[in-house]
Amino acid sequence: MSHPVLEERPLEHGDALNLVRQAVAEAPGPDAAAQRAVEELHERFPHYDWIGIYWVEGADLVLGPWIGPEATEHTRIPIGLGICGAAAASGQTEIVDDVGADERYLACFTTTRSEIVVPILAEGQVVGEIDIDGSDLAAFDETDKLFLEEIAALLAPLRPRA
Ligand code: SME
């Protein structure tokens, strides 16, 4: 999907938060809401090349809604494995400027150069995470971290429940 005007002038984070909040409120159910959220983020922020939400299921992370050029083979990741598993184990956001220099990295796409993984917390527990791949080195900074941590709080109520 390409939106030249938006790519020149991306919306401010506050506007994007409102769009995601609105998507979550208007979608017919939690799965549709989470899907709308990844679509909004992908459309507004051109450096978010691939976006996926993983939900915690027992000792694993299981891929939920995603958007990007290709599907990933990593649809189930044990907590503790990879950058995704590290963020889920610690409950802390991981920013990796150069995935090629991080031995934890589980390769998905040949185009990926950097990655950010933001845990989704509910009642102090990690219930999922947002995983974003970038095709530039150091595509993600502290601004992305703070913004995506706010997005994560909006997504927490959408987690699948038994
Ligand atoms: N690179 C991740 C695996 C998930 S894919 O990027 C979609 C990792 O190292 O955990």
Side-chain angles (χ1 to χ4, degrees):
M1 246 186 290
S2 176
H3 294 267
V5 174
L6 289 174
E7 279 170 26
E8 274 169 34
R9 209 161 34 78
L11 293 185
E12 292 301 320
H13 285 143
D15 291 341
L17 273 170
N18 283 334
L19 282 168
V20 170
R21 201 173 281 123
Q22 192 182 338
V24 166
E26 287 173 358
D31 294 347
Q35 186 69 47
R36 283 279 306 279
V38 296
E39 286 167 7
E40 291 290 353
L41 292 173
H42 192 249
E43 202 165 299
R44 307 293 160 195
F45 298 96
H47 63 302
Y48 295 178
D49 289 314
W50 186 96
I51 309 175
I53 297 174
Y54 286 88
W55 297 115
V56 171
E57 196 182 292
D60 293 335
L61 292 157
V62 176
L63 185 63
W66 65 273
I67 187 164
E70 282 180 69
T72 175
E73 65 186 88
H74 298 295
T75 55
R76 182 177 281 268
I77 300 172
I79 292 174
L81 199 73
I83 296 160
C84 285
S90 69
Q92 304 291 318
T93 293
E94 291 278 350
I95 295 179
V96 176
D97 288 342
D98 179 0
V99 294
D102 192 318
E103 61 188 22
R104 300 169 303 173
Y105 176 62
L106 295 174
C108 283
F109 316 114
T110 52
T111 47
T112 299
R113 308 294 300 281
S114 56
E115 183 161 4
I116 184 169
V117 184
V118 179
I120 299 172
L121 301 165
E123 290 135 29
Q125 303 290 314
V126 177
V127 297
E129 62 188 30
I130 306 167
D131 175 26
I132 306 184
D133 286 37
S135 52
D136 292 326
L137 287 171
F140 310 108
D141 61 14
E142 200 63 18
T143 308
D144 294 294
K145 174 181 187 284
L146 295 174
F147 167 62
L148 291 166
E149 287 173 354
E150 289 191 72
I151 295 285
L154 295 176
L155 298 178
L158 306 179
R159 67 191 181 278
R161 299 186 212 211

